[in-house]
């Protein structure tokens, strides 16, 4: 038997080498973050900086939770509370509105939907001051509620995404449910939601990431350190209370802040990609 000859295309090899070089460049900030998080304060200040710590200071992660001035554990918990409740509120409110837009026909439905989509063109700074004044009049300033309550009133983008997915569900399923005596709410709760796992996963991931990384709203509403979320808490690490900017602690906090997003996307990746594909096709 003649052995098949393997032919190498020079351009293909060059392309792979370029991709490898780009990969190293893209991953270098991540590696530098991990490296800095494991350095002592003395090694952190050395120049030129070292890419591999001489001494691995895992105690930096312990310091984040034991240093009473940082209150990192409380801020971590606050971020989980805000992000988790925002996911629940957005999923419930947006899916209810999307179900109405996709399953009921009225004369003004198109007009209302156009008005809803038009709100996506409004940047957050345009409504920031009126919203701030509203929550201050309600006595909710310096609490987590202003960061959570807006999620329970729907999101225009999430409503649009879910509406497109709900349109893909066959009408025969809903007709059969009505014949069997299902109420409209049961059609939504027992029929629509169980079939909308990919779309709801997409909504949950987007909402969690946006809420988890939000800095502007916490800066606007929160004054007390015990109410800080991670973004504003990490920004406060660079305040004047530290004689030297604790970049090693800040990088350690950055690693811990990224872990929930990576974990969420890892477990929901299949549903997330499926939701994006199915919604985009429809």
């Amino acid at each position: 038997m003649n052995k098949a000859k393997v032919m190498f295309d020079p351009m293909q090899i060059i392309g792979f080498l370029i991709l490898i070089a780009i990969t190293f460049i893209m991953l270098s900030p991540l590696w530098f973050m991990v490296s800095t998080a494991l350095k002592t304060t003395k090694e952190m200040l050395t120049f030129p900086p070292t890419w591999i710590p001489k001494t691995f200071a895992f105690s930096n992660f312990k310091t984040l939770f034991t240093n009473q001035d940082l209150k990192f554990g409380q801020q971590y918990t606050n971020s989980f509370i805000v992000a988790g409740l925002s996911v629940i509120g957005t999923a419930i409110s947006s899916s209810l509105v999307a179900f109405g837009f996709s399953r009921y026909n009225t004369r003004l439905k198109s007009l209302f939907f156009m008005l809803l989509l038009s709100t996506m063109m409004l940047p957050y700074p345009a409504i920031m001051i009126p919203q701030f004044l509203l929550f201050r009049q309600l006595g909710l300033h310096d609490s987590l509620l202003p960061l959570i309550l807006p999620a329970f009133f729907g999101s225009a983008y999430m409503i649009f995404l879910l509406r497109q997915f709900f349109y893909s569900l066959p009408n025969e399923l809903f007709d059969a449910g009505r014949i069997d005596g299902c109420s409209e709410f049961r059609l939504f709760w027992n029929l629509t939601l169980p079939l909308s796992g990919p779309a709801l996963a997409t909504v949950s991931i987007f909402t969690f990431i946006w809420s988890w990384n939000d800095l502007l709203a916490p800066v606007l509403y929160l004054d007390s350190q015990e109410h800080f979320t991670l973004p504003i808490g990490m920004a406060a690490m660079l305040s004047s209370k530290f004689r030297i900017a604790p970049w090693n602690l800040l990088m350690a906090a950055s690693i811990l802040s990224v872990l929930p997003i990576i974990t969420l996307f890892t477990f929901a990746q299949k549903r997330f990609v499926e939701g994006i594909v199915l919604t985009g096709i429809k």
Side-chain angles (χ1 to χ4, degrees):
M1 294 179 61
N2 295 327
K3 294 183 178 180
K5 294 183 178 180
V6 179
M7 302 297 293
F8 293 99
D9 185 1
M11 296 303 297
Q12 188 178 25
I13 296 176
I14 294 175
F16 278 124
L17 292 177
I18 293 175
L19 288 176
I20 292 173
I22 293 175
T23 301
F24 275 109
I25 293 173
M26 297 295 292
L27 291 179
S28 58
L30 179 62
W31 174 253
F32 190 75
M33 178 179 71
V34 175
S35 175
T36 305
L38 296 175
K39 291 179 181 179
T40 61
T41 303
K42 181 179 179 180
E43 187 176 2
M44 178 190 70
L45 298 175
T46 58
F47 186 85
T50 57
W51 285 92
I52 300 178
K54 298 177 182 178
T55 303
F56 291 93
F58 291 100
S59 59
N60 291 335
F61 295 92
K62 181 180 178 181
T63 303
L64 289 174
F65 294 95
T66 56
N67 191 323
Q68 297 300 320
D69 293 331
L70 296 178
K71 299 186 184 299
F72 184 80
Q74 182 63 48
Q75 295 164 9
Y76 212 80
T77 303
N78 292 340
S79 288
F80 266 114
I81 292 174
V82 172
L85 292 179
S86 295
V87 168
I88 294 174
T90 301
I92 293 176
S93 58
S94 298
S95 59
L96 279 169
V97 178
F99 180 77
F101 275 121
S102 63
R103 290 298 155 192
Y104 302 118
N105 294 317
T106 61
R107 269 189 300 176
L108 299 178
K109 185 179 78 169
S110 299
L111 175 61
F112 286 139
F113 190 67
M114 287 173 49
L115 291 174
L116 174 69
L117 293 183
S118 66
T119 62
M120 296 173 60
M121 304 177 189
L122 292 174
Y124 179 70
I127 62 173
M128 182 172 60
I129 296 177
Q131 196 175 69
F132 171 80
L133 295 175
L134 173 63
F135 283 120
R136 191 179 67 173
Q137 291 296 323
L138 294 175
L140 300 179
H141 183 68
D142 196 22
S143 71
L144 299 180
L145 289 177
L147 309 179
I148 298 171
L149 288 179
F152 286 84
F153 292 90
S155 166
Y157 177 74
M158 300 307 177
I159 292 171
F160 172 73
L161 190 149
L162 289 172
R163 171 185 175 271
Q164 297 303 106
F165 187 88
F166 290 167
Y167 264 131
S168 66
L169 301 178
N171 291 324
E172 289 77 10
L173 287 175
F174 297 92
D175 293 337
R178 292 187 180 96
I179 292 174
D180 289 338
C182 285
S183 63
E184 296 301 315
F185 182 77
R186 286 195 63 189
L187 290 176
F188 165 75
W189 188 260
N190 295 334
L191 186 60
T192 304
L193 292 186
L195 296 175
S196 305
L200 290 175
T202 304
V203 169
S204 299
I205 291 176
F206 279 152
T207 304
F208 186 89
I209 293 175
W210 292 343
S211 178
W212 184 266
N213 294 329
D214 186 21
L215 174 63
L216 181 57
V219 168
L220 185 66
Y221 292 109
L222 303 179
D223 294 332
S224 304
Q225 190 178 9
E226 59 269 16
H227 294 150
F228 284 177
T229 56
L230 274 182
I232 187 174
M234 291 168 61
M237 287 185 186
L238 301 178
S239 63
S240 58
K241 69 173 63 175
F242 294 98
R243 186 168 59 88
I244 300 175
W247 290 108
N248 50 351
L249 297 180
L250 188 61
M251 293 300 105
S254 299
I255 293 175
L256 294 177
S257 67
V258 170
L259 286 180
I261 296 177
I262 296 177
T263 303
L264 177 64
F265 187 79
T266 300
F267 285 102
Q269 181 179 8
K270 182 178 179 181
R271 290 278 190 171
F272 173 74
V273 174
E274 185 180 352
I276 291 293
V277 171
L278 293 178
T279 306
I281 291 176
K282 293 299 176 181

